[in-house]
Amino acid sequence: MASPSSPVLALASGPLSIGSLADPIAVDPGPSLLVSLVAAYRDAAPEAVEPDLDALRDAARADDDPLSAAADLPTLTVVARDGAVDAVADRFHPASRIAALAEAGVWDLRALADPQPNALLAGRSDGCVLVAANERGGDGDGGDDGPWCRIGSDPTLRERYDAIVADAETVRVRTPSRHRLYGSLRDRCGGSVADEAVRLLDGDVTGSAPLDRGEARARTYAAGARRGALDRDLRRACEDAGLGSAATFTRIKRDLVEADLLGTESVSQPVGRPRQRLVARGALADASSPSAALAALGALRESEV
């Protein structure tokens, strides 16, 4: 596995290596800047932050930590307002990238109580204000699409925000990383279920909104049905990964059953009560490809799963 490069943030004046800053912090980034910071880390260590299916399989077969590719990246403390975090983390894939960075220990995401005059990026010996070249809103909650302009160079900027950083509470992203979800599904349900879940999660639906947590849960449950997972094992895998609670997946199962896409069959056990295996029904069973399976799930996209 190749060693990661330092994450680089593109500035109008040229690239800024985040690793060149000692103990770096990012304060009050708007959603676009937050996405840019995540992208910088993803580009530096894609196998950890946003692995494809082959990388997930390889990591699951190996004995080492699947997030080890990010271990040498600089640790960034990000102090952001709830609105900025929600705008990014309400979508499944961006949230999974942030989760990977948090799980790898290279991002410390914290909640900012009060807005600051500008977003900033600072280390112990250097720091600057960041303003988008085409900034429109000026409130840090949008309208800042980059490229980013560096304003000033202040070696005292980092220490002036120490109290704000220390008082900020940790933010828990309610979405697992791709490695965590794939590993949980593989361990409890087998590789075919884990592979199918990734295929469905990564599938595009023309004209639909970006994938949110609710639909990600429904797609994962549908993957289990298409590959004959035991209901209890699938639920436990999703709970272990942090994808959702038991009650959440009870609602998802009900919605799929009511849409005639899901059934169950009893599987006898050597000891104890029979267990229930999920079985795809109707259009979900007839689907010959992930895209066809997603089309079958179309009736659920407007439901609150």
Side-chain angles (χ1 to χ4, degrees):
M1 184 178 295
S3 298
S5 58
S6 177
V8 173
L9 182 65
L11 302 180
S13 57
L16 171 62
S17 171
I18 296 174
S20 68
L21 301 172
D23 190 16
I25 62 170
V27 178
D28 206 7
S32 295
L33 180 53
L34 192 59
V35 168
S36 295
L37 290 168
V38 173
Y41 275 76
R42 177 200 60 203
D43 293 346
E47 291 184 1
V49 180
E50 194 167 27
D52 61 19
L53 183 53
D54 287 339
L56 288 167
R57 288 170 173 159
D58 290 344
R61 288 192 291 263
D63 293 331
D64 58 347
D65 180 359
L67 295 172
S68 61
D72 294 329
L73 296 179
T75 300
L76 178 66
T77 299
V78 181
V79 190
R81 280 183 273 170
D82 290 344
V85 175
D86 290 345
V88 178
D90 277 352
R91 294 171 290 158
F92 178 79
H93 290 297
S96 72
R97 297 175 200 130
I98 295 176
L101 294 170
E103 291 169 21
V106 296
W107 262 41
D108 181 5
L109 183 61
R110 304 187 187 188
L112 179 65
D114 300 313
Q116 302 302 301
N118 294 103
L120 64 92
L121 182 64
R124 289 296 176 188
S125 59
D126 192 16
C128 62
V129 166
L130 293 177
V131 178
N134 61 345
E135 186 170 6
R136 296 184 299 274
D139 61 358
D141 284 328
D144 50 345
D145 300 323
W148 312 105
C149 295
R150 173 176 182 151
I151 307 298
S153 179
D154 185 346
T156 69
L157 193 58
R158 172 69 172 81
E159 65 186 46
R160 284 191 271 134
Y161 279 85
D162 280 347
I164 289 177
V165 172
D167 291 341
E169 297 183 357
T170 298
V171 175
R172 186 178 71 86
V173 178
R174 295 182 297 139
T175 298
S177 69
R178 291 168 67 85
H179 278 299
R180 184 179 177 190
L181 179 58
Y182 184 87
S184 293
L185 291 169
R186 187 176 186 272
D187 290 346
R188 288 195 177 273
C189 305
S192 65
V193 173
D195 286 1
E196 182 73 4
V198 172
R199 293 188 186 102
L200 294 186
L201 289 170
D202 288 351
D204 291 328
V205 180
T206 302
S208 67
L211 183 68
D212 62 19
R213 279 191 294 264
E215 189 174 349
R217 292 163 180 157
R219 290 187 186 190
T220 303
Y221 211 83
R226 282 171 56 79
R227 298 298 175 179
L230 293 174
D231 189 18
R232 181 175 181 273
D233 290 349
L234 181 62
R235 290 175 185 241
R236 288 287 300 276
C238 292
E239 289 182 69
D240 289 348
L243 186 62
S245 66
T248 295
F249 287 100
T250 295
R251 294 195 301 272
I252 289 169
K253 180 181 179 181
R254 179 198 64 209
D255 291 339
L256 288 167
V257 169
E258 291 178 352
D260 296 324
L261 298 175
L262 176 71
T264 58
E265 62 182 20
S266 181
V267 178
S268 61
Q269 302 294 307
V271 178
R273 300 174 58 186
R275 303 179 71 180
Q276 297 297 309
R277 185 183 304 281
L278 299 173
V279 180
R281 303 290 191 199
L284 188 60
D286 294 338
S288 59
S289 66
S291 59
L294 294 179
L297 292 173
L300 297 179
R301 288 190 195 110
E302 300 302 321
S303 64
E304 296 182 358
V305 298

